[in-house]
Amino acid sequence: MANNLMRAVQYSKYGGGADDLKHVEVLIPSPKKDEVLIKLEAASINPIDWKIQEGVARPFLPRKFPHIPGTDVAGEIVQVGSGVQSFKVGDKVVAVLGNGGALAEYAVAKEGSTVPRPPEVSAPEGAALPIAGLAAHQSLTQLAGLKLDGTGPQVNVLVTAASGGVGQYAVQLAKLANAHVTATCGARNMDLVRSLGADEVLDYKTPDGVALRSPSGRKYDVIIHCAHNIPWSTFEANLTSKGKVVNTTPGICTVMSAAAKTIKCSKKQLIPLFTSPKKENLDFLVNLVKARKLKPIIDSKHPLSKAEVAWAKSIDGHATGKILVEP
């Protein structure tokens, strides 16, 4: 392989799923003035990655074809742009890529979307954090108003699909906020979710799980909704008078429903989450992992040569934690 080429995985049109991913050799990207070039050690797949392939953001994303997907990476900086001030060659980092590029051997990231990765945080742990961890953080702090230092009032929180990528972080961060946490997941993952700190765990297939009914009879101040196909009426029956549902996987129906509830001036709120990656929040999460106050759960690791297997596993929707790809 020539020195200026790298292995990567890309797709050239909307649709096609894992079968449409192609293994290619392409030029190693060059960092612009405010960018760093990272030799990747690990990347993680998020549902939004394959949803973009399906056309959920068409025609805005991808910006062009062919497209190397993925945004969440960890690795080592091998080149810095002329304007980069806070990093140098050899630094270990975690980054969120602005326009994909994670399923490759190298990727460029904005300095403003990159944070240091201390030795206590492994590359897989770092790559498992960004979008899922930031979604949980933003849901609980910005949208639900919880204080992660535990100084706020104790609230009752429900996390659906608590063993998934976002749910695992939502449970752990809610406990840092001194919340009482009820969680739903599949029967095989109930012990895992308890180990993350959940006070009550429901098998989502049981009658109580379907009804989201707290075993201790609690109403929820906040529901972090990471699952699909739960009607508003089920949420409404379990919320306190001013309870909030933060939907971490909103579609157009969620947005329309949220707008309708706002128009009705309901005190119970449905809030769609649109994750806005912020450097300071990612740095906060990395340091929680360093302090062993947050544990990324990793479902599986796949070599870049088998990235399509990881892609298909994510589409299947039954991963426990995060799915990683390693060059």
Side-chain angles (χ1 to χ4, degrees), residues 45-52 54 166 228 249 314-315 322:
I45 294 174
N46 296 293
I48 189 61
D49 297 328
W50 49 263
K51 289 179 182 179
I52 288 172
E54 289 179 344
V166 177
H228 298 279
T249 58
S314 181
I315 292 173
K322 296 289 295 177

Side-chain angles (χ1 to χ4, degrees), residues 10-237:
Q10 64 185 28
Y11 57 85
S12 298
K13 66 181 189 303
Y14 290 113
D19 291 341
D20 233 35
L21 297 181
K22 305 299 180 187
H23 293 268
V24 295
E25 288 187 11
V26 296
L27 288 173
I28 295 173
S30 297
K32 296 177 182 176
K33 181 178 179 180
D34 61 345
E35 292 178 334
V36 296
L37 177 65
I38 304 170
K39 183 177 182 180
L40 301 184
E41 298 173 35
S44 70
I45 294 174
N46 296 293
I48 189 61
D49 297 328
W50 49 263
K51 289 179 182 179
I52 288 172
Q53 184 195 28
E54 289 179 344
V56 69
R58 188 176 188 168
F60 305 105
L61 295 174
R63 293 177 188 170
K64 64 179 181 179
F65 291 115
H67 176 69
I68 301 172
T71 59
D72 295 8
V73 300
E76 180 178 326
I77 292 177
V78 294
Q79 188 179 347
V80 297
S82 60
V84 171
Q85 300 292 320
S86 52
F87 296 104
K88 64 183 185 303
V89 171
D91 285 348
K92 299 285 191 175
V93 294
V94 176
V96 182
L97 308 181
N99 189 35
L103 296 188
E105 292 181 295
Y106 295 85
V108 290
K110 295 286 187 184
E111 180 181 18
S113 300
T114 304
V115 301
R117 175 168 61 86
E120 297 86 352
V121 179
S122 70
E125 288 175 326
L129 268 177
I131 293 300
L134 290 168
H137 181 276
Q138 186 177 336
S139 297
L140 289 164
T141 58
Q142 180 183 327
L143 301 181
L146 273 65
K147 296 182 182 298
L148 299 189
D149 60 3
T151 60
Q154 187 179 58
V155 297
N156 295 320
V157 174
L158 169 68
V159 179
T160 63
S163 60
V166 177
Q168 58 153 328
Y169 293 124
V171 169
Q172 296 178 75
L173 293 175
K175 289 308 297 180
L176 289 179
N178 196 33
H180 181 280
V181 177
T182 304
T184 70
C185 63
R188 67 187 175 94
N189 290 322
M190 292 176 72
D191 287 342
L192 168 67
V193 172
R194 287 191 189 96
S195 76
L196 298 178
D199 299 284
E200 304 175 329
V201 183
L202 295 166
D203 176 352
Y204 76 96
K205 291 185 177 181
T206 64
D208 281 350
V210 171
L212 305 181
R213 192 177 298 116
S214 164
S216 59
R218 296 167 189 260
K219 296 292 186 181
Y220 308 117
D221 301 292
V222 176
I223 297 176
I224 305 300
H225 180 40
C226 309
H228 298 279
N229 303 321
I230 298 177
W232 169 254
S233 58
T234 303
F235 292 133
E236 190 170 31

Side-chain angles (χ1 to χ4, degrees), residues 295-319:
K295 179 182 179 181
I297 303 301
I298 295 169
D299 175 273
S300 52
K301 299 177 182 179
H302 306 264
L304 183 62
S305 61
K306 298 291 185 181
E308 63 274 14
V309 176
W311 198 259
K313 189 174 181 65
S314 181
I315 292 173
D316 182 59
H318 295 287

Side-chain angles (χ1 to χ4, degrees), residues 263-280:
I263 292 168
K264 291 178 182 177
C265 300
S266 171
K267 291 183 178 180
K268 298 181 180 182
Q269 298 180 61
L270 173 62
I271 307 170
L273 170 73
F274 299 99
T275 304
S276 176
K278 292 184 178 180
K279 179 171 182 168
E280 61 268 27

